[in-house]
Amino acid sequence: MDTFSDFTTKNLSSSANMSHSLPSHLDYQFNVTSRSPSMSISRLFPALLQCFGIILCGYIAGRANIITSSQAKGLGNFVSCFALPALLFKNMVVLNFSNVNWSFLCSILVAKASVFFLVCILTLLVASPESRFSKAGLFPIFATQSNDFALGYPIVEALYQTTYPEYLQYIYLVAPISLMMLNPIGFIFCEIQKWRDNRSMLHNKMKIVGLGLLRVLQNPIVFMVFIGIASNFILGQKIPVYLENFLDGLASSFSGSALFYLGLSMVGQIKKLTKNAFVALILLITAKLLMMPLFCREMVELLDKNDSLVNHTSLSNYAFLYGVFPAAPGVAIFANQFNMEVEIITSGMVISTFVSAPIMYVSAWLLTIPSMDPSPLASAIQNVSFDISIVSLVSLIWSLTVILLSKKYKHLPHMLTTNLLIAQVVACIGMVIWNFIIRERNIILQILVFILLYSSLYSTYLWTGFLSLTLLLLKKRDVIKIPVGFIIVAGWGIPALLVGILLITGERNTDSIDSAFFYGKYQMVTTAVTLFISILISGISLLCMNRNGQETDYEVLNPYSHNGQRENSEREGNEESQTSSSGSPPFAESSAERANQCESQCSSENCLLAQEEQRLQSGDKQLARHVLLCLLLIVGLFANLSSCLWWLFNQEPGRLYVELQFFCAVFNFGQGFISFGIFGLDKHLIILPFKRRFEFLWGSREAAEHAESSVPEEIRMTCQQFVRYHRDVCVRSIVKDRRCGAKTSTGIFFGCELVNWLIQVGLVSDRGEAVMYGDRLAKGGVIQHITNEFEFQDEYLYYRFIRKRSTVTESQ
């Protein structure tokens, strides 16, 4: 909870007395810090916007198949083998080692090593025996290797360029700590795992260690660091003119291309995440973004021998910010090279990158505050809550509209998700209104707004627990009847009852602008109990789901997974859509049962196949997405509970406590961002309909129907090649005849089946290229969506081969 502003008179007095009792030299140092901040916070937001804007451009380019994954590898090779080594070499040559604070570097080394070995030991103790060493090798690397150059350097430059420009050089010195000292240990564990998986490999202990060290030496980044340090002494910290321009050209291309490649590498990673990876992923992100910065800061506080208090404080703050930098893409490269733990590492890289942005911003902002005066901090928390509420409100309305348009709200668990979104909307509206009426002295109006705000906020807490419980009951639906009505009444009634009791028993604090302490200690106790109950229900439910083995084998984060289809088809009870024992899609019929062939374009109103598509889109329970939603919300609930307990048992504030308050404020009124990220990006309801509407307005559909002869040569050649050499084989491999009422549709297949086949036979190298290939076949008249509503997609959408001779094939 955002509960920082109100302290008792006793606490405020003790804080004031404590501040007056500071020695005179400390007062002087705090005054110096106040007049000369150690970082330029005003430049941080533009730097974050620049970095994440370029990352978003790369993600859009990959998502739209403008650049496929195989093409992105070329950009990645350029960044890692040319641009970054040139940048490192240049800065190593000109680096002035006499200005380096070696105690600071030792502190970071100790912090990284501590986190590395802690994660490694815990993984060895907890992980399953069959994959213990691969996890113990890659998870510590994930927790300690930061994205120092692509994302970290622009942030450090924005914060310290005008105050401590020498801090920029530490980026180049800190990064090799992981690359040369810690990563080899992780590589050795991965080599041990490879030997355990393939006992026929004749690897002795020395060979395993040698392979781990060899991987380090083969890294161009490590190699150029050694060359740069040697050149520093040989060239006297000056790069020759004829070499300087060449290095500048390569080095200057690194920042933008590296961030763009980071966005490209994020495409499709979350879809690979399975249920068994959720807990490990949450723990890894916690270690990287919470444990790592705390260790870095505390080690600098303990080991740094700087005589200046201001410099010591700025170095410890710098160490904390360095620890918040997200995991580097290189960790995902290591996972792919070993073919181990790819799903967890790649998904963790994506999530940690975006979660780190608000943590970096809030941390940097708080570290610039020279005093702990409650009044300005309470106002700042109120302003943050107001701003977050407005933006989150837009995201929530969007997400709620998506669920309503998709008609998913009629089925579980989306029915409860809809109630959660409504509670989040009301909470944001309550905070917006609270921001305007809190300055007034109208007690009745304040109480009414408080009821609206905290009834809905408590409801969001409880819906997390009820949603987790419902997910568990869905797996036992045949045995246990889900009391939907009772859950909905409890989700809204219990919070209203708690707020009513609070109004009767609590003592109102009219001087507070902080809604979290409007009813003092009683409100804190009520909030803590509500949070504890929700966490308990959620934890037990998700733990039971995880222990149920194969019974909880829900789909991955792909909204149209095959398992999800089969389950929904069976629950719909459509006798005509029975799935074969081999897992074939619905409506599969043998060729002997063919009736009248239905080859013309269908309409979504009377075509059973089109209705089945719509049913799959609206009836998919998206269980994995709901589990991820619950896990993320539980993290916020834990933070709120920690805040309440901290205030109840230790009312002396500190900077970490203040940061916790800001995190809780962002979570409470920013839950809409989580909901939007999970449920608000349904391309079948947003992107594709908008694209079809745009095509209709510009008349491109009519133009395409009457201009087949103007098909580009590239599309014509692709279609001719496919029809002549591959069509018959493809038809035999993926095409099924499916019953559509009294007729049988022939030549029907799923889009994702064609994608799989194209990759299997080697016509394309990845799924992105396969989508582009299928799109050419659709534009060339070789294939067509059954209702012609969708372009070719890598989804469980029905397509057919067109039997009529298309314009592009008549030239044969």
Side-chain angles (χ1 to χ4, degrees):
M1 296 298 299
D2 46 332
T3 57
F4 182 77
S5 60
D6 286 275
F7 303 96
T8 61
T9 306
K10 178 181 177 180
N11 291 327
L12 290 175
S13 300
S14 62
S15 300
N17 293 334
M18 182 176 64
S19 63
H20 285 302
S21 64
L22 289 171
S24 58
H25 72 279
L26 290 182
D27 288 336
Y28 170 77
Q29 295 289 4
F30 279 115
N31 292 333
V32 172
T33 305
S34 178
R35 289 194 301 266
S36 303
S38 61
M39 58 181 70
S40 302
I41 190 65
S42 61
R43 300 180 59 191
L44 177 59
F45 183 76
L48 287 172
L49 186 63
Q50 169 196 340
C51 294
F52 284 90
I54 298 175
I55 292 173
L56 181 61
C57 290
Y59 179 81
I60 293 174
R63 182 81 175 182
N65 278 328
I66 299 174
I67 300 177
T68 65
S69 58
S70 60
Q71 294 169 345
K73 292 178 181 178
L75 179 60
N77 292 334
F78 167 76
V79 169
S80 59
C81 297
F82 293 94
L84 182 54
L87 180 67
L88 282 171
F89 176 81
K90 172 189 171 184
N91 284 275
M92 285 294 127
V93 172
V94 300
L95 183 63
N96 187 357
F97 287 97
S98 62
N99 294 332
V100 174
N101 187 331
W102 295 105
S103 62
F104 171 78
L105 289 179
C106 291
S107 303
I108 299 298
L109 172 59
V110 173
K112 282 196 169 190
S114 301
V115 174
F116 186 96
F117 289 110
L118 181 61
V119 173
C120 183
I121 294 172
L122 290 177
T123 304
L124 288 173
L125 294 175
V126 175
S128 57
E130 59 271 12
S131 60
R132 176 181 300 163
F133 290 98
S134 62
K135 289 182 171 65
L138 291 172
F139 287 1
I141 295 177
F142 179 94
T144 54
Q145 184 169 331
S146 302
N147 194 350
D148 299 324
F149 303 107
L151 189 58
Y153 188 87
I155 303 301
V156 174
E157 185 178 28
L159 291 172
Y160 293 102
Q161 179 67 52
T162 58
T163 54
Y164 291 96
E166 65 272 14
Y167 285 4
L168 300 178
Q169 67 185 2
Y170 290 130
I171 291 290
Y172 300 102
L173 293 173
V174 170
I177 292 177
S178 292
L179 294 173
M180 294 186 291
M181 299 181 183
L182 299 178
N183 284 9
I185 302 175
F187 295 154
I188 291 172
F189 276 111
C190 292
E191 293 292 344
I192 293 175
Q193 184 67 52
K194 287 175 61 178
W195 176 78
R196 287 170 60 90
D197 294 339
N198 187 6
R199 297 280 183 164
S200 61
M201 297 174 60
L202 300 177
H203 283 181
N204 54 35
K205 296 180 180 179
M206 292 300 298
K207 189 172 184 180
I208 291 175
V209 174
L211 288 174
L213 296 176
L214 181 61
R215 286 185 178 272
V216 177
L217 296 177
Q218 289 175 339
N219 192 324
I221 299 174
V222 176
F223 182 74
M224 292 308 295
V225 167
F226 283 121
I227 300 297
I229 293 175
S231 301
N232 180 283
F233 297 100
I234 297 174
L235 300 177
Q237 300 180 3
K238 186 175 181 180
I239 302 176
V241 178
Y242 59 84
L243 187 60
E244 184 175 10
N245 292 334
F246 169 74
L247 292 175
D248 286 342
L250 283 176
S252 61
S253 66
F254 169 76
S255 180
S257 56
L259 293 171
F260 192 86
Y261 172 69
L262 179 58
L264 285 172
S265 63
M266 292 180 176
V267 176
Q269 301 299 340
I270 298 296
K271 286 185 178 181
K272 301 176 182 178
L273 194 60
T274 59
K275 74 181 184 70
N276 295 326
F278 280 126
V279 176
L281 181 60
I282 296 297
L283 294 177
L284 270 182
I285 294 175
T286 302
K288 181 68 192 76
L289 299 182
L290 295 179
M291 185 191 301
M292 183 68 185
L294 291 175
F295 271 59
C296 289
R297 180 187 176 97
E298 292 305 316
M299 288 303 170
V300 172
E301 291 283 353
L302 290 174
L303 303 178
D304 181 47
K305 304 302 182 183
N306 201 315
D307 294 332
S308 172
L309 179 61
V310 175
N311 288 338
H312 176 78
T313 302
S314 64
L315 279 174
S316 62
N317 294 343
Y318 174 57
F320 184 88
L321 290 173
Y322 175 81
V324 180
F325 292 160
V331 187
I333 296 176
F334 300 149
N336 281 294
Q337 288 176 348
F338 287 105
N339 195 24
M340 299 173 182
E341 315 304 329
V342 177
E343 294 82 5
I344 298 177
I345 298 298
T346 54
S347 302
M349 180 198 69
V350 176
I351 297 175
S352 67
T353 298
F354 286 99
V355 172
S356 66
I359 297 178
M360 281 190 289
Y361 184 78
V362 173
S363 300
W365 184 81
L366 288 174
L367 292 173
T368 60
I369 300 177
S371 66
M372 299 300 295
D373 186 3
S375 298
L377 290 175
S379 299
I381 291 177
Q382 178 66 29
N383 293 334
V384 168
S385 302
F386 175 74
D387 296 338
I388 289 291
S389 296
I390 293 177
V391 183
S392 180
L393 193 59
V394 177
S395 302
L396 285 167
I397 293 175
W398 180 283
S399 304
L400 199 56
T401 303
V402 169
I403 292 182
L404 293 177
L405 290 178
S406 65
K407 300 181 181 179
K408 293 179 183 292
Y409 68 93
K410 298 180 180 179
H411 309 285
L412 290 174
H414 288 86
M415 185 182 297
L416 301 187
T417 308
T418 304
N419 285 272
L420 172 63
L421 293 180
I422 294 174
Q424 293 172 350
V425 168
V426 178
C428 291
I429 294 175
M431 174 49 65
V432 171
I433 300 175
W434 180 269
N435 185 74
F436 290 108
I437 62 95
I438 191 58
R439 308 292 180 182
E440 302 177 4
R441 293 299 177 182
N442 191 332
I443 301 300
I444 297 178
L445 188 59
Q446 290 180 357
I447 293 176
L448 292 176
V449 176
F450 177 83
I451 294 173
L452 176 70
L453 173 59
Y454 266 81
S455 295
S456 56
L457 194 58
Y458 285 168
S459 184
T460 63
Y461 297 160
L462 289 179
W463 279 120
T464 303
F466 291 151
L467 182 59
S468 302
L469 178 62
T470 303
L471 295 176
L472 174 63
L473 296 179
L474 278 173
K475 311 311 297 182
K476 301 179 178 295
R477 193 168 185 172
D478 296 334
V479 181
I480 302 175
K481 184 178 180 180
I482 302 176
V484 180
F486 174 79
I487 292 176
I488 293 177
V489 172
W492 293 105
I494 293 177
L497 179 63
L498 291 174
V499 173
I501 296 174
L502 188 60
L503 294 176
I504 297 174
T505 60
E507 182 178 351
R508 189 172 60 254
N509 184 358
T510 56
D511 295 330
S512 172
I513 67 171
D514 188 353
S515 61
F517 203 77
F518 196 61
Y519 277 88
K521 185 176 181 179
Y522 291 99
Q523 181 179 346
M524 299 303 300
V525 173
T526 304
T527 303
V529 171
T530 305
L531 290 165
F532 177 77
I533 293 175
S534 182
I535 291 173
L536 186 65
I537 296 175
S538 300
I540 294 176
S541 300
L542 295 179
L543 182 62
C544 291
M545 286 185 67
N546 191 57
R547 288 182 175 273
N548 280 345
Q550 295 182 352
E551 293 182 3
T552 63
D553 191 19
Y554 47 82
E555 73 275 16
V556 295
L557 290 180
N558 186 340
Y560 300 101
S561 66
H562 196 188
N563 293 336
Q565 282 193 71
R566 186 166 59 247
E567 185 178 53
N568 286 316
S569 300
E570 292 172 356
R571 294 196 185 280
E572 290 290 340
N574 191 337
E575 296 180 356
E576 296 180 349
S577 61
Q578 294 297 325
T579 304
S580 65
S581 59
S582 61
S584 61
F587 294 99
E589 298 287 344
S590 65
S591 59
E593 299 179 49
R594 294 180 183 175
N596 296 326
Q597 294 184 354
C598 176
E599 298 180 5
S600 60
Q601 177 179 328
C602 303
S603 63
S604 58
E605 292 80 12
N606 55 26
C607 177
L608 293 181
L609 297 181
Q611 293 173 13
E612 178 70 13
E613 278 187 352
Q614 295 175 357
R615 195 156 52 240
L616 292 175
Q617 295 173 22
S618 62
D620 178 28
K621 294 190 289 294
Q622 299 178 323
L623 295 184
R625 294 186 179 214
H626 281 87
V627 172
L628 179 60
L629 173 67
C630 292
L631 285 171
L632 294 176
L633 292 179
I634 288 173
V635 173
L637 297 184
F638 267 116
N640 277 285
L641 181 60
S642 302
S643 172
C644 293
L645 297 178
W646 192 325
W647 191 91
L648 288 171
F649 296 105
N650 183 15
Q651 297 183 12
E652 290 294 336
R655 291 191 186 273
L656 293 179
Y657 175 70
V658 176
E659 183 159 359
L660 182 61
Q661 310 317 306
F662 275 87
F663 176 81
C664 293
V666 172
F667 168 79
N668 288 333
F669 305 106
Q671 298 180 47
F673 298 121
I674 300 176
S675 303
F676 175 79
I678 295 177
F679 298 108
L681 299 175
D682 192 331
K683 65 181 180 182
H684 295 284
L685 293 173
I686 303 168
I687 301 175
L688 296 178
F690 176 80
K691 186 176 182 180
R692 291 198 301 271
R693 176 65 61 180
F694 182 79
E695 290 176 346
F696 176 78
L697 292 176
W698 285 89
S700 60
R701 183 179 297 277
E702 291 79 4
E705 292 177 354
H706 296 88
E708 289 186 348
S709 60
S710 61
V711 171
E713 184 65 21
E714 181 183 10
I715 295 178
R716 185 187 302 274
M717 294 298 296
T718 299
C719 293
Q720 288 180 0
Q721 180 196 47
F722 180 83
V723 171
R724 179 175 299 176
Y725 300 108
H726 306 292
R727 174 171 173 163
D728 293 340
V729 179
C730 181
V731 168
R732 289 194 297 269
S733 300
I734 68 172
V735 162
K736 302 288 190 303
D737 294 343
R738 291 173 171 84
R739 179 66 61 84
C740 185
K743 299 180 180 181
T744 297
S745 294
T746 60
I748 302 298
F749 60 93
F750 281 127
C752 57
E753 292 176 338
L754 179 58
V755 169
N756 293 336
W757 184 85
L758 290 172
I759 297 174
Q760 181 181 356
V761 299
L763 287 176
V764 296
S765 59
D766 57 51
R767 305 191 78 84
E769 290 187 5
V771 172
M772 296 173 64
Y773 194 101
D775 187 60
R776 293 174 194 165
L777 297 181
K779 291 179 179 178
V782 177
I783 63 174
Q784 180 190 53
H785 183 256
I786 56 172
T787 61
N788 207 22
E789 293 185 23
F790 298 103
E791 294 181 350
F792 183 77
Q793 300 290 329
D794 182 15
E795 302 286 349
Y796 280 94
L797 298 175
Y798 286 114
Y799 296 86
R800 66 157 56 89
F801 281 101
I802 302 175
R803 288 183 178 273
K804 64 180 181 179
R805 295 178 62 83
S806 63
T807 304
V808 297
T809 59
E810 288 178 353
S811 60
Q812 299 181 53

